[in-house]
Amino acid sequence: MRQQGFTTRILHADRRGGTEHGAVHKPIHTSSQYAYSDACELAAVFQGKPGFSYARQGTPTTAALEAKLTQMENARASIVFSTGMAVLAALFTTLLKSGDHLISSRYIFGNTNSLFGSLNALGIEVTLVDATDVHSVADAVTDKTKMIFVESIANPGTQVADLMGIGELAKEKGLIYVLDSTLTSPYLLQGQSVGASLVMHSLSKHIAGHAQALGGVLIDTGLFDWSRYDNILPIYRKGDSAGWGLTQIKKKGLRDMGATLAAEPAHRIAVGAETLALRLEKACSNALALAQHLEAHPLVQAVYYPGLVGHQQHERAKGLFGNRFGTLLSLEPKPHVDCFELLNALDVVILATHVGDTRTLALPIAHTIYHEMGAAQRELMGIADNLIRVSVGIEDCDDLLNDFDQAFTKLTA
Ligand SMILES: *Cc1c(COP(=O)(O)O)cnc(C)c1O
């Protein structure tokens, strides 16, 4: 049978899974606990039968969101958490132990980089390499290596890792390959197409899209053979091995650590997710137009955006994402331009952190999210002092181009 499109499937999946009272839109379930008329049923749920017991481990509302996300990635199963960082903390601490080795990218989200420091303190060694080149990843593999973790498009430099090459390497070496696909979303890239074992998204970004809820998800693509992973505890080596990885993460990382996504934000994220394709079509085309416009401006030194023909991984990005290159660009004005003055002259663009909102947001990277890491580390990552990150929204395109034009004009007046 012909498969329906991305948006049709996610709009109608809830209904086809069965409705409550005929409600066309999923209700929100706020109950903390779930009761059974037969105590044997209650015990069965505690012993692994699908069902709900206590909301820390999930509710019908989080389960509906998980089903939607699994469908978006065409994957096996998902677990949602209270934030994207909660996903990462649970992932690393439940699948890795002291003595294990993790390979990641030198170009990585700042808070993830900071979390790697905490892993080091727990005895988990992290090696950061240039993941745009699969050879540097391969060179870092040791007999202690358990996992490779990379982002699809790096923030703020927009480097695109060799996702395919890393997928092949991970398969050959039997390593868990985790892809943080936050900046691409399942609309631009599905993790299994590059061989990822697990896909992580911050739901706070493109998937919710409205910036009115935080959340994160970890998705099992079904490609990794968990029966061969020796960090799965004996108690979770039961039943179909395809479910072992997520079961351990859910029990140890969600139940025991408690970073649960509450029903209200889960519902808001599910509503936002339904318009993902529409928002990304518009925001990606705005981002490309803005990147090209800025690149041609005499007061601009460099623009980093995978959609630009001069971008180092443009061809790779085209192969991976089709003709959509994401919503994030970074702009380096000429050295004599003060990034604060330029930002303050903007009118439509909002001065705020965050990415993937419907509204366009901008901030001075070195002075905000990359402030804590210090000048030496920033230089290593190629982050100039006046670099500006722009998360492009769905405004009418000309209003964005005009906003930068008028801001530059104000500076030269
Ligand atoms: C925002 C972000 C995260 C963390 O997600 P939160 O929901 O803010 O905790 C992780 N990775 C990337 C690439 C992000 O952009």
Side-chain angles (χ1 to χ4, degrees):
M1 207 175 79
R2 180 188 158 271
Q3 204 191 27
Q4 291 178 329
F6 184 86
T7 297
T8 308
R9 279 188 289 125
I10 58 170
L11 286 180
H12 291 272
D14 280 352
R15 178 172 64 88
R16 296 193 198 282
T19 62
E20 296 160 60
H21 312 289
V24 170
H25 296 276
K26 273 276 181 211
I28 307 178
H29 291 272
T30 54
S31 184
S32 300
Q33 81 283 55
Y34 293 80
Y36 296 84
S37 53
D38 177 351
C40 294
E41 270 294 298
L42 176 61
V45 170
F46 268 79
Q47 290 169 25
K49 187 177 170 197
F52 302 99
S53 56
Y54 186 56
R56 185 171 359 94
Q57 291 187 70
T59 60
T61 308
T62 56
L65 175 61
E66 285 166 347
K68 197 167 265 174
L69 294 163
T70 301
Q71 165 128 185
M72 285 172 141
E73 282 277 350
N74 244 322
R76 200 192 152 274
S78 304
I79 314 174
V80 292
F81 290 79
S82 56
T83 64
M85 290 317 298
V87 172
L88 297 183
L91 163 77
F92 296 132
T93 55
T94 61
L95 291 187
L96 301 174
K97 59 178 174 22
S98 175
D100 288 344
H101 179 229
L102 164 71
I103 301 172
S104 188
S105 169
R106 196 186 297 154
Y107 312 111
I108 201 93
F109 182 61
N111 299 155
T112 306
N113 190 67
S114 172
L115 177 62
F116 288 156
S118 308
L119 295 184
N120 272 320
L122 294 173
I124 299 163
E125 196 198 336
V126 184
T127 305
L128 302 184
V129 301
D130 177 1
T132 62
D133 175 9
V134 69
H135 300 108
S136 353
V137 182
D139 287 347
V141 175
T142 71
D143 57 359
K144 301 259 181 358
T145 309
K146 287 277 198 320
M147 183 187 286
I148 303 172
F149 176 89
V150 293
E151 292 168 3
S152 49
I153 301 177
N155 164 7
T158 74
Q159 295 89 350
V160 180
D162 186 354
L163 301 180
M164 279 297 191
I166 294 171
E168 281 157 24
L169 174 73
K171 186 171 177 200
E172 180 198 317
K173 304 272 181 193
L175 304 173
I176 300 177
Y177 174 17
V178 187
L179 176 67
D180 179 341
S181 188
T182 298
L183 288 199
T184 31
S185 90
Y187 186 59
L188 266 57
L189 176 73
Q190 295 190 331
Q192 55 170 264
S193 71
V194 294
S197 324
L198 297 168
V199 181
M200 174 276 174
H201 294 282
S202 165
L203 300 173
S204 325
K205 313 285 173 58
H206 291 115
I207 292 182
H210 43 52
Q212 295 177 58
L214 301 185
V217 66
L218 190 64
I219 300 169
D220 187 337
T221 61
L223 293 182
F224 188 73
D225 179 4
W226 295 103
S227 72
R228 291 174 45 191
Y229 193 59
D230 53 15
N231 282 357
I232 299 291
L233 299 167
I235 186 166
Y236 303 125
R237 295 180 166 273
K238 282 182 196 144
D240 183 1
S241 63
W244 292 0
L246 279 203
T247 298
Q248 176 153 312
I249 295 164
K250 184 159 184 173
K251 298 292 183 185
K252 293 286 158 185
L254 183 67
R255 182 195 64 189
D256 296 1
M257 295 182 191
T260 305
L261 179 61
E264 300 267 358
H267 179 75
R268 284 179 190 228
I269 291 164
V271 172
E274 295 185 348
T275 56
L276 177 66
L278 284 76
R279 286 183 281 106
L280 280 199
E281 284 293 344
K282 180 65 177 153
C284 292
S285 90
N286 278 353
L288 180 60
L290 183 61
Q292 289 168 339
H293 188 72
L294 291 171
E295 196 181 33
H297 198 284
L299 288 181
V300 173
Q301 180 88 12
V303 178
Y304 304 96
Y305 183 67
L308 293 175
V309 176
H311 186 279
Q312 290 223 335
Q313 293 92 34
H314 175 66
E315 286 304 318
R316 175 182 293 161
K318 241 176 30 189
L320 290 167
F321 317 138
N323 277 322
R324 306 176 197 92
F325 300 96
T327 67
L328 186 118
L329 65 88
S330 289
L331 139 81
E332 197 180 315
K334 284 270 156 73
H336 67 278
V337 175
D338 182 308
C339 63
F340 288 97
E341 274 180 38
L342 176 61
L343 284 164
N344 290 342
L346 291 166
D347 171 51
V348 175
V349 177
I350 301 169
L351 310 187
T353 188
H354 200 49
V355 301
D357 192 359
T358 49
R359 290 136 169 86
T360 298
L361 315 171
L363 87 172
I365 284 285
H367 309 274
T368 54
I369 45 181
Y370 283 80
H371 174 69
E372 192 179 300
M373 75 174 38
Q377 179 68 20
R378 282 199 299 272
E379 195 172 326
L380 216 77
M381 292 180 74
I383 297 170
D385 269 355
N386 64 351
L387 189 73
I388 291 171
R389 186 185 77 187
V390 185
S391 168
V392 181
I394 62 168
E395 291 92 345
D396 297 289
C397 189
D398 283 346
D399 294 327
L400 294 176
L401 309 190
N402 286 339
D403 199 30
F404 277 92
D405 283 349
Q406 68 77 29
F408 277 120
T409 306
K410 255 190 223 162
L411 291 193
T412 48

